[in-house]
Amino acid sequence: MGSESLLQELSPPEVGIDIFTMVVLRRRFEAIIGEMINALFKSGRSGVLNTAMDFSCSLTDANFQSISLAQGLPVHVGAIDLIPRAVVDKFGTDIHPGDCFVNNSGYLGNTHCADFTVCAPVFVDDSIAFYVIARAHLGDMGFPTPTTYGPRSRDVYEEGLILPCVRIQKGYKDVPEVIDICRANIRVPDQFYGDYLAVLSAVRTGESRLKSLCGKYGADVVRTFVDEFQNYAERMARTAISNLPKGRLSKEMLYDSETELYPTGIPIRATIEVDPDEELITVDLTGNVDNLPLGINMTESTTTAACMTAVLNVLGADVPRCTGSFRRVKLVLREGAAIGKPKFPAATSAATTNLCHALIPHIQSMFADLRGDLGTAYGTIGMPGSCAVVSGNDPRGDRPFVNQLIMGYWGGPAMSGHDGWLTYGSGASQGILWQSSVEVVEQQQPIIIEKLEVRCDSAGAGQWEGAPGAECVIRPRSGAVRFMVNSASRDHPPQGVAGGTSAAPMQIARLDRDGQRSELPISVDAVIDVGEKLVSEGCGGGGFGDPLDRDADRVLQSVLAGRVSEERAKSIYGVVLVGDGAHRKLDYTATRECRAGMRRGASA
C-alpha cells in the first residue's frame, strides 16, 4: 500500500483529525515506547535485562486498547491489556496519581511469575487517560531453587514469590513493606532493587511523555486518534483475512513429556477456522489436555499472546499489532487446560517457554496446510543449555549471583520463500531478544564460554531450510556453578512442513574432568564443578518444502559456511560436490542425476 493510500485509509474524512496528525501521533506513540525501553535497558542491573533485553514496554488507553506492540517480545505484549484490567478489577476507583502497581501472578493477567510487571495510571485532566506498563524478566524471583522457571513444579506453591497485583508506589513513593517482602525473598536483593528501579523508570518515563503529548495536541485529539487507529488496524486485518482461503483445520503435535500421564509426549491440539467472508479467524484450543502437574501450564496471557502472534504473523507486517487487529481473531479457550486458562493451583512458571514455544509455530504450520505459500515450519522449542539460569558464589567479590544467559538462542523456522532467521530464538521472542555478549557474560558471572558456534546439520532441510542451532561449551572459572535449564525438543524436535524435514534434537550434557560425556535430562538442574563443562547442542528450525527443490548453489553455500555437511548435502539435498575445503564446487551433472534418482525412489 502506497503512502497516499495508507494516509487515506488511516484517517477517513469524517474523523476530526487531519491525516498528517494521525501519522505523527502514531510515530509519537512508538517513540514514547522506545524511550521507555531505553530507560529500562540503560539502567537494568541484571544481565538478562542490560545485555539480552528480556523485557517489554507498552501502554493502553483508559479503555484498555493497546496502541503499539511491535517493539516488545510477542509473548510479553500480545495480551498486555490484561494487566490494567486486573488493576481496575481489584482497586476500582481507588487509583490515584502517583500510584504504581506490581503484578506477577499468572492468575491475574500476567505471563509467569518471573516477569515482574509494573503498571502506572496516567492522569490527564483529573481522569485516567492511559496505563503505562513495563514487564521485565528478573534473574531471580524467590524460587525454591535459583531459577526463573520451574518446569517440574507440581503447583503454584512450589514456584516463586507471588505479588498478586499490589500497590508498590503511592504518591510517587515506594510502599516500603512490598519492597521489604521482595528483598527478603530474593537471593540477590540489591540486584532486584536495581532492576525494580529500572522498570519504574520506564513507566515514569512513559507517564511523563504521554502527559506532554496530551498537553501539546489536546487530550480529546489524542483519544480520538487511539480510537481511530484501532479502527484502521481492524480494517487492515479484515482486508488481509478476506484474501485468505476459506477453511477449517485441526492438527495435533507432541511435546517432550516429563510426566507419566503422557509417556510418549504431551499432545498439543488446535483447530483454526478462516472465514474470509466474515473476515474472521477462530482459534479453538478447547481440545487440549487438563492442567499438568508441571510448571509448563500456559496462562491466559501467554495463550492469548501466542495465538495473536501466530495469526498476525500470517496476516503480514502491514497489519498493526494492537487491539484493533486482535478483534478479528476469536479465541476459544478452556479453564483448567494446560493450553488455555489455568485452574488454581496449577503451576505456570514456565508459561512463556515450553508449550508456548510449541503452540505458536504449531498454529503457523496449520496455515501452510491451508495454502502452500502461508505459514511456517516449527522453530526452537524449549531453551538450550546456553540459556541456562546460572548461580553460585562469585569469588571475585565473594558475593552470590543469579542470572539467566541468553546465548545461542537460535533456530528460526523456514517459510515459503525464506530460510529461517538465525537469531530468531522462538515464536515467543521472534528475534527481539538480544544475544548476550560472550565477553560481558564472562565479566558478569565467573564462567568461561569455550565455544559458541553454529551446530552443523542441526537445521531442518527443505526448499527453504531452517536456521541452525548453536553448539556451546561453558565451564566454571573458579568454584562450582549451578545450571538450571527448561529445555525440550529432544524426543520431538521442531518439525518441517510441506515436505521439509525436522531439525536435529536438542541435547545438553556434562563433560567430566576426563572428558567423559553424560547426558542431562530435559529439565536440567546440575552443579558443574571446576574442570567440568556443560555442553549445549541447540536444535535448529524445521525446513519448508521439498529439499530436492532447493537451489543447489544455496546448498553449496551452506556447506562452505559450515551449516551443512557434505554428506548431508548429498543424502538429503541430492547435491554432489567435488574438491576439498573452500575449493569445493558443484558437480551439476552428478547433482541432476542424483536428484532424479532420489525422486524416482521417493515415488516408487
Side-chain angles (χ1 to χ4, degrees):
M1 180 178 287
S3 59
E4 182 177 353
S5 299
L6 176 61
L7 292 175
Q8 290 173 352
E9 180 71 16
L10 185 61
S11 182
E14 64 268 17
V15 176
I17 306 176
D18 67 86
I19 56 178
F20 297 104
T21 302
M22 289 291 294
V23 174
V24 168
L25 285 175
R26 177 179 181 178
R27 300 309 179 198
R28 285 294 298 271
F29 272 103
E30 292 176 354
I32 289 170
I33 294 173
E35 286 192 66
M36 295 171 67
I37 290 170
N38 285 335
L40 204 164
F41 181 51
K42 292 180 179 180
S43 55
R45 182 73 62 86
S46 60
V48 72
L49 301 185
N50 62 33
T51 66
M53 294 189 74
D54 193 352
F55 64 84
S56 299
C57 299
S58 191
L59 53 90
T60 76
D61 69 357
N63 296 318
F64 314 119
Q65 297 182 117
S66 58
I67 287 87
S68 179
L69 304 178
Q71 295 169 284
L73 274 67
V75 70
H76 278 177
V77 297
I80 200 71
D81 61 291
L82 295 177
I83 293 299
R85 289 180 191 275
V87 171
V88 174
D89 286 347
K90 183 170 183 177
F91 292 92
T93 59
D94 186 20
I95 303 173
H96 310 283
D99 280 352
C100 196
F101 304 89
V102 62
N103 182 359
N104 76 332
S105 170
Y107 289 91
L108 293 173
N110 199 48
T111 44
H112 71 143
C113 59
D115 281 342
F116 188 86
T117 304
V118 169
C119 174
V122 179
F123 281 79
V124 177
D125 298 331
D126 299 323
S127 64
I128 296 175
F130 298 97
Y131 297 93
V132 284
I133 306 125
R135 172 172 283 158
H137 184 182
L138 299 189
D140 183 78
M141 199 59 214
F143 277 74
T145 52
T147 182
T148 57
Y149 309 100
R152 298 301 301 271
S153 299
R154 290 168 293 184
D155 56 39
V156 70
Y157 303 111
E158 295 187 355
E159 299 184 312
L161 172 67
I162 302 298
L163 300 164
C165 193
V166 298
R167 203 185 320 255
I168 198 169
Q169 274 205 331
K170 188 172 184 177
Y172 294 100
K173 293 183 179 179
D174 288 347
V175 177
E177 293 85 356
V178 177
I179 301 298
D180 289 346
I181 288 171
C182 293
R183 293 182 66 99
N185 284 274
I186 293 174
R187 294 172 179 80
V188 282
D190 291 339
Q191 176 177 293
F192 154 75
Y193 191 67
D195 286 340
Y196 159 65
L197 293 178
V199 176
L200 184 65
S201 72
V203 298
R204 293 307 183 201
T205 296
E207 178 188 22
S208 173
R209 299 299 186 267
L210 284 169
K211 286 184 174 181
S212 297
L213 185 70
C214 291
K216 180 175 181 178
Y217 291 93
D220 289 341
V221 170
V222 175
R223 290 190 185 98
T224 302
F225 159 77
V226 173
D227 289 338
E228 181 50 34
F229 185 68
Q230 307 306 322
N231 295 334
Y232 160 69
E234 183 174 6
R235 291 194 297 273
M236 292 291 287
R238 282 180 175 272
T239 299
I241 296 171
S242 70
N243 292 320
L244 294 177
K246 187 181 183 71
R248 186 177 188 272
L249 292 170
S250 296
K251 190 175 180 181
E252 177 180 301
M253 66 165 288
L254 292 178
Y255 172 87
D256 290 13
S257 177
E258 291 187 281
T259 170
E260 295 177 355
L261 296 173
Y262 301 98
T264 60
I266 298 168
I268 297 176
R269 304 178 180 118
T271 297
I272 62 168
E273 183 171 0
V274 179
D275 190 336
D277 299 323
E278 292 294 325
E279 298 168 339
L280 181 71
I281 293 176
T282 301
V283 181
D284 187 339
L285 300 175
T286 55
N288 282 292
V289 302
D290 291 342
N291 282 139
L292 300 161
L294 298 169
I296 64 175
N297 296 294
M298 294 180 69
T299 59
E300 179 182 6
S301 177
T302 57
T303 303
T304 301
C307 294
M308 296 302 177
T309 297
V311 172
L312 268 291
N313 282 347
V314 173
L315 297 188
D318 290 339
V319 180
R321 273 64 172 161
C322 65
T323 297
S325 56
F326 292 170
R327 294 171 187 159
R328 307 316 305 164
V329 183
K330 178 183 177 182
L331 302 185
V332 187
L333 310 180
R334 179 172 67 86
E335 185 179 12
I339 298 176
K341 299 179 181 180
K343 186 175 182 179
F344 193 84
T348 62
S349 56
T352 58
T353 53
N354 302 59
L355 294 180
C356 184
H357 286 179
L359 179 60
I360 294 173
H362 186 57
I363 294 173
Q364 290 173 180
S365 76
M366 297 172 73
F367 285 91
D369 296 334
L370 192 64
R371 196 174 75 194
D373 62 336
L374 297 175
T376 71
Y378 292 71
T380 288
I381 299 172
M383 309 296 287
S386 53
C387 290
V389 176
V390 294
S391 62
N393 192 73
D394 191 340
R396 295 173 296 184
D398 192 24
R399 56 180 176 82
F401 68 91
V402 182
N403 186 42
Q404 182 177 6
L405 310 180
I406 303 291
M407 296 188 305
Y409 190 32
W410 300 346
M415 60 186 295
S416 178
H418 299 278
D419 291 342
W421 179 358
L422 178 64
T423 57
Y424 180 85
S426 72
S429 57
Q430 302 203 356
I432 300 294
L433 276 179
W434 286 20
Q435 299 289 313
S436 298
S437 160
V438 169
E439 291 77 15
V440 172
V441 163
E442 292 179 340
Q443 292 176 20
Q444 292 176 333
Q445 290 86 208
I447 58 177
I448 297 294
I449 312 301
E450 283 196 351
K451 176 192 286 188
L452 179 60
E453 61 185 40
V454 166
R455 181 187 177 195
C456 187
D457 291 342
S458 58
Q463 182 179 7
W464 308 101
E465 65 182 12
E471 184 175 357
C472 184
V473 178
I474 309 173
R475 63 176 173 85
R477 182 190 298 269
S478 55
V481 175
R482 190 174 184 177
F483 290 78
M484 300 194 71
V485 192
N486 53 318
S487 72
S489 296
R490 182 170 301 178
D491 297 325
H492 304 285
Q495 302 172 42
V497 298
T501 72
S502 297
M506 187 181 290
Q507 302 287 345
I508 305 176
R510 178 206 304 268
L511 290 182
D512 65 18
R513 290 179 175 85
D514 297 324
Q516 295 296 310
R517 175 175 173 135
S518 57
E519 300 299 322
L520 295 174
I522 294 173
S523 293
V524 176
D525 183 357
V527 175
I528 305 298
D529 292 318
V530 175
E532 298 181 328
K533 300 174 183 180
L534 183 91
V535 177
S536 170
E537 296 172 347
C539 61
F544 195 110
D546 188 341
L548 296 179
D549 291 333
R550 184 166 178 79
D551 183 272
D553 286 299
R554 295 176 70 95
V555 176
L556 172 62
Q557 294 306 313
S558 293
V559 172
L560 295 177
R563 297 191 296 270
V564 175
S565 67
E566 188 168 346
E567 293 75 18
R568 183 176 173 86
K570 183 175 182 180
S571 64
I572 301 297
Y573 287 105
V575 172
V576 181
L577 306 179
V578 294
D580 297 317
H583 300 291
R584 282 173 290 191
K585 60 182 181 179
L586 280 170
D587 185 327
Y588 289 96
T589 300
T591 295
R592 284 194 299 271
E593 293 174 352
C594 182
R595 286 184 160 183
M598 293 173 71
R599 286 192 171 96
R600 286 193 299 271
S603 62

